[in-house]
Amino acid sequence: PISFHHVASNITDAIEIRKPVIFCAVEYEAKAVRAALAGCETICIYTIGIRACHIPQNPQVSEISAIIMAGFAGALDPSLHVGDVVLDELSDTNSSLPKVKMHCAGELICTPSQRVAIRQSTGAAVVEMENDRVRDFAKQLGVPYIGIRAISDTADQTLDPAMLQIVND
C-alpha cells in the first residue's frame, strides 16, 4: 500500500502551489489529511459533507491553485483492496497512482449485487458520493480538480445502510 504522505507529496509536486484546497466529506477524513500534512500551511482543508452539500460558497478564487477531493470510496472492481489509493480518471493531473473511473452515487451502495450492477452499467471501478459536485465546482472556478480516494470497503462487502444515519459531517 502507498502511504498518504507519499500521495500528498506526489500531488503537491504535480500542481503549481498557490493554495491547494482539499475537500473531505466527513471530519474523520479531514482529520487524517490534516495529520498527514501537519506543518504544511499552504493547504486549506474543508469538511464539505456527504454528497458535498457544504461546499464553501464564496472562496477566494485568486488564492486557489487546485481543488482536491480526498477521502474514502467503495470498491466496485474486485481487484481493489482496502487501503488501495486511486485517482479519479477525470483528475487534472498526472501521477504514478492508478487512474480509475469513479461513479458518483446519490445514495450509499450497500450490497455486492448493487456494486456488480453499477460496475456493469457504468464500467466504474470505485463508488463515492462527492466527486461530481466537487469537479463541477472546480470547473466553475477555473481551477484544476484532483479526485483521490482510499478504498474503505471491497466489492464483496456488505454495508449497513444505517451507517449513514450514524455518520454526519
Side-chain angles (χ1 to χ4, degrees):
I2 299 171
S3 75
F4 187 82
H5 181 69
H6 171 75
V7 170
S9 296
N10 196 348
I11 287 176
T12 53
D13 288 344
I15 58 178
E16 172 188 330
I17 296 186
R18 230 180 331 167
K19 192 179 231 178
V21 173
I22 299 176
F23 289 163
C24 298
V26 295
E27 185 57 31
Y28 179 78
E29 294 166 330
K31 190 181 285 188
V33 171
R34 281 188 200 99
L37 299 176
C40 187
E41 297 178 15
T42 60
I43 297 177
C44 294
I45 302 168
Y46 294 94
T47 301
I48 61 166
I50 296 169
R51 296 182 200 92
C53 57
H54 302 297
I55 291 177
Q57 295 301 309
N58 299 310
Q60 294 293 334
V61 179
S62 63
E63 296 178 9
I64 299 173
S65 63
I67 294 179
I68 301 165
M69 181 65 225
F72 296 116
L76 299 175
D77 181 339
S79 71
L80 292 173
H81 304 284
V82 172
D84 287 351
V85 178
V86 295
L87 283 177
D88 184 345
E89 70 177 2
L90 300 175
S91 293
D92 300 317
T93 188
N94 293 321
S95 172
S96 60
L97 292 172
K99 279 191 168 183
V100 300
K101 183 172 186 177
M102 295 190 183
H103 174 72
C104 190
E107 60 188 25
L108 191 63
I109 305 304
C110 300
T111 67
S113 61
Q114 287 176 307
R115 293 172 195 250
V116 167
I118 289 172
R119 179 148 172 82
Q120 288 176 343
S121 67
T122 67
V126 169
V127 63
E128 48 71 38
M129 300 174 83
E130 296 81 25
N131 281 8
D132 286 355
R133 288 179 110 177
V134 173
R135 188 181 321 103
D136 289 347
F137 183 67
K139 190 175 193 174
Q140 287 173 357
L141 298 180
V143 298
Y145 153 81
I146 300 167
I148 184 168
R149 300 295 180 136
I151 301 303
S152 60
D153 46 285
T154 62
D156 64 350
Q157 286 182 302
T158 299
L159 299 177
D160 187 338
M163 190 166 93
L164 276 184
Q165 303 303 316
I166 60 172
V167 175
N168 63 25
D169 304 347

